Amino acid sequence: MLKTDLVLAAEEAPNPIIPHIPEVILGLVAFLILLFVLKKYVVPRFEAAYEERAQMIEGGIEKAEKAQAEAEEALAKYRAQLQDARTEAAKIRDDARLEAEQIKAELRAEAEAESQRIVAQGQAQLQAQKAQIIAELRADMGRNAVELASRIVGESLEDEARRRGTVDRFLAELETAGAAGGAGK
């Protein structure tokens, strides 16, 4: 009997490999309810959160691209302004060189004119001094000639008009003699 009791007990005990039909049905219903709840409530929330995240990321990327485009545009403007500034500085430098050359030329011309004026003034002073010296020498020579002539002739050449005529005649003779002697050389 033992053996038969065991066989009977084994026949009455459920087989662990074969599931019970009510458990399968109950598991299937619970799974379908869980699937319905997930699909109806949880999945839309996950999709909304995912969509929101995707939009935030895309918006961030768009903002970053827009900021990068603005930065590149600002950099291009800065480079253009820098190039304009360099061009302007070169133009100013060239203008300053030209102006310096003009000022230098003007100063040189003014210095040359001043130099010529000073030379002309010096020559005029020399001519005036020469004329004064010649007049003084004539007067001295005249006195000496009158004195010498009075000693030689023995007559007095006190008369001013006569004395002048004699002196002028004497000087004219000296000039012609000096010119004839200078031409012979």
Side-chain angles (χ1 to χ4, degrees), residues 58-123:
E58 287 176 10
I61 291 173
E62 288 176 7
K63 285 180 183 178
E65 288 174 352
K66 186 177 179 182
Q68 185 175 2
E70 288 174 359
E72 287 175 1
E73 183 179 327
L75 180 62
K77 284 181 182 178
Y78 170 74
R79 286 184 178 160
Q81 287 175 349
L82 185 62
Q83 184 62 32
D84 289 345
R86 286 182 180 155
T87 303
E88 185 68 24
K91 182 180 177 225
I92 289 170
R93 193 172 39 249
D94 291 342
D95 290 346
R97 282 190 192 127
L98 287 174
E99 190 173 335
E101 290 295 324
Q102 288 175 348
I103 289 171
K104 199 163 127 182
E106 288 173 4
L107 289 175
R108 187 173 286 137
E110 286 176 11
E112 181 114 0
E114 183 67 18
S115 157
Q116 289 175 356
R117 185 189 64 76
I118 290 171
V119 167
Q121 187 178 11
Q123 287 177 347

